[in-house]
Amino acid sequence: MTVSVMVVDDHPMWRDAVARDLAEAGFEVVATAGDGPEAIRRARAARPQVLVLDLNLPGASGVRVCKEVVAGDPAVRVLVLSASGEHTDVLEAVKSGATGYLLKSAARAELVEAVRRTAVGDPVFTPGLAGLVLGEYRRLATEPPPAADEGTAAPRLTERETEVLRLVAKGLSYKQIAHRLVISHRTVQNHVQNTLGKLQLHNRVELVRYAIEAGLDEDGQDRTDGDM
């Protein structure tokens, strides 16, 4: 199936070049936008599978766009394509629901591969940034969790959901998890989505935090530092 993509950037020449490169690589570019409010409106109408998003946008930041688009359609995957490699920008993007983060210095082939992987749910990061995000997961896990409502029962996860969650906490990509458990990539995605629903979580950051708090990442030998 052809993957539908939307490109958001406030620089017309850059936006058009990225859209052209992706179209030539076989993606269906269903929309483009040059500012935050326009991006939110067009994403809701076009419903792309992958949103390639710059962070520095007029009208509304890329972080806000990411939050609103993902809230409206949790199935959309967001790949941030930014000139900034600042740690705060990377972490804010991931916390807002972005699946991956790629610097604009990336080569065309890297971008094309990143969009392909993002479309199937793999988290993709410019080398060096994956370790930063995993480190933030662990930092968040040391903070006290919010108090649970009295009388609220803990959600029940199936054995397979718990197994998938453990591997997510160790930093494995969905493709790696599928290979490890000898199941399809789609099945891994379904387990993750079911787990998010049961735990009332919104994205991978919150999911990994929960898993680490539950001690599911104690065996660190499966952790990967360069490819989440």
Side-chain angles (χ1 to χ4, degrees):
M1 292 178 61
T2 302
V3 174
S4 60
V5 180
M6 177 175 172
V7 179
V8 179
D9 196 288
D10 63 331
H11 292 91
M13 289 182 64
W14 176 268
R15 182 174 67 244
D16 292 347
V18 170
R20 182 175 62 251
D21 285 347
L22 294 178
E24 289 175 355
F27 298 101
E28 180 186 8
V29 180
V30 294
T32 61
D35 61 54
E38 180 185 40
I40 294 169
R41 289 194 306 271
R42 291 193 175 180
R44 287 172 176 168
R47 298 179 66 86
Q49 292 169 268
V50 178
L51 179 65
V52 179
L53 177 67
D54 188 17
L55 290 183
N56 188 19
L57 298 172
S61 69
V63 166
R64 180 182 164 193
V65 171
C66 185
K67 285 180 179 177
E68 295 207 21
V69 170
V70 172
D73 182 7
V76 70
R77 309 291 182 184
V78 179
L79 174 66
V80 170
L81 183 60
S82 174
S84 171
E86 292 294 325
H87 290 184
T88 52
D89 290 335
V90 178
L91 296 177
E92 280 301 308
V94 175
K95 289 174 184 177
S96 71
T99 305
Y101 197 107
L102 199 65
L103 294 180
K104 285 185 174 180
S105 56
R108 178 183 182 276
E110 291 178 282
L111 171 63
V112 169
E113 179 63 16
V115 173
R116 285 201 181 103
R117 291 182 56 197
T118 299
V120 296
D122 281 347
V124 182
F125 292 86
T126 290
L129 297 183
L132 164 70
V133 176
L134 284 171
E136 179 68 0
Y137 289 156
R138 296 197 64 82
R139 186 193 69 78
L140 289 173
T142 64
E143 297 178 359
D149 294 337
E150 225 173 288
T152 300
R156 287 180 172 270
L157 300 181
T158 66
E159 184 177 343
R160 181 46 63 91
E161 286 168 349
T162 302
E163 196 172 13
V164 169
L165 183 56
R166 178 177 290 108
L167 296 177
V168 168
K170 290 178 179 178
L172 273 68
S173 70
Y174 293 167
K175 181 178 180 181
Q176 290 170 323
I177 294 172
H179 179 74
R180 175 70 59 86
L181 300 180
V182 196
I183 57 179
S184 72
H185 191 286
R186 175 63 65 182
T187 300
V188 174
Q189 288 180 287
N190 290 339
H191 284 312
V192 170
Q193 289 302 315
N194 290 340
T195 302
L196 286 170
K198 287 183 179 181
L199 300 178
Q200 297 185 342
L201 302 176
H202 302 94
N203 54 46
R204 188 183 174 101
V205 172
E206 295 179 0
L207 184 64
V208 175
R209 176 180 179 176
Y210 175 93
I212 294 175
E213 288 172 350
L216 296 178
D217 74 324
E218 289 178 357
D219 177 8
Q221 63 184 353
D222 291 322
R223 184 177 299 282
T224 57
D225 291 325
D227 178 20
M228 288 183 60

